[in-house]
Amino acid sequence: MQEPHFSLCVYCGSRPGADPRQIGLARVVGRWIGSHGGQLVYGGGRAGLMGAVAEATLQAGGRVIGIIPEALVEREWAYAECTELHVVSTMHERKRMMAERSDAFLALPGGIGTFEELFEVWTWRQLGYHDKPIGIVNAHGYYDGLLSFLQRCVAQELMDQRQMGLIDAGSVLESDDEVEALLRRLVQAAGWSQDSAALGRVI
């Protein structure tokens, strides 16, 4: 298999959620990654949105790098079909390796694990530990409450708009085209441009 054109880290839920559109969204993201010659880096799970994005990436011809703590493998939560499945000792090691293997980061709907990963990589960018782009897929208003709360933090002067500018939260994404536009922006911000065939590195 040829080298991937880009490597996108996706944070998302290990549950399918109550809204079936969220599983569909994960599949749209996976298909986009795979059909554009990309590589998915994610938490290595086989269930929920995690499993859906990984399966869709593979079906579309992309590579999938799963990174999962040993404790979750023992619970049989690992997705064995990953192109590469890395079993690590701790959550800290998992997140470090995910960050190192990625050109950009994307948060889909998820729970506390997704929130924790998103906020950590966002904090790392603010502190200058990396300069990789970060996006939030606010599909069907899932993150409306969170984004509103963050703006309240800005109004209370405990955050500022510069910090908010470090993430691309798009708008309320209601269509596949809008989700794909966000993906394209992230990948281009990471140094890749779209040509007539796929996405190629900007020299």
Side-chain angles (χ1 to χ4, degrees):
M1 185 179 293
Q2 67 179 23
E3 283 296 306
H5 290 147
F6 60 88
S7 186
L8 182 62
C9 179
V10 175
Y11 304 128
C12 59
S14 60
R15 301 180 184 186
D19 187 341
R21 294 178 298 180
Q22 306 298 12
I23 283 284
L25 168 67
R27 292 180 178 135
V28 167
V29 170
R31 283 195 299 269
W32 191 91
I33 293 170
S35 64
H36 287 82
Q39 174 173 275
L40 168 69
V41 177
Y42 87 121
R46 61 179 173 81
L49 274 64
M50 293 177 73
V53 70
E55 182 179 30
T57 301
L58 288 170
Q59 289 176 347
R63 290 173 52 84
V64 173
I65 308 301
I67 304 168
I68 189 168
E70 186 175 3
L72 298 185
V73 175
E74 293 172 354
R75 297 180 191 179
E76 298 183 349
W77 288 354
Y79 188 48
E81 286 75 15
C82 290
T83 312
E84 297 178 26
L85 182 64
H86 299 272
V87 179
V88 297
S89 299
T90 67
M91 289 292 287
H92 291 294
E93 187 178 358
R94 177 201 215 182
K95 291 184 292 182
R96 176 188 59 77
M97 190 173 182
M98 289 171 73
E100 289 174 349
R101 297 292 298 267
S102 304
D103 298 317
F105 307 93
L106 181 73
L108 298 181
I112 58 173
T114 299
F115 307 152
E116 190 265 346
E117 290 167 324
L118 168 64
F119 276 91
E120 182 169 71
V121 79
W122 186 6
T123 301
W124 288 352
R125 185 171 184 190
Q126 174 193 250
L127 295 174
Y129 294 160
H130 72 84
D131 61 356
K132 301 173 182 180
I134 304 166
I136 298 175
V137 176
N138 186 25
H140 314 297
Y142 182 81
Y143 281 113
D144 279 354
L146 174 62
L147 294 171
S148 177
F149 171 73
L150 291 170
Q151 288 297 343
R152 177 172 172 79
C153 294
V154 172
Q156 293 292 317
E157 299 183 3
L158 293 168
M159 287 181 58
D160 57 45
Q161 287 296 346
R162 180 191 62 83
Q163 293 167 299
M164 292 297 296
L166 297 177
I167 58 171
D168 184 341
S171 58
V172 179
L173 304 175
E174 299 291 352
S175 72
D176 293 357
D177 288 345
E178 290 176 288
V179 174
E180 291 171 1
L182 173 58
L183 290 165
R184 190 172 297 109
R185 288 199 303 274
L186 283 178
V187 171
Q188 289 174 342
W192 300 82
S193 65
Q194 188 166 18
D195 57 28
S196 59
L199 291 164
R201 190 75 177 188
V202 175
I203 305 299

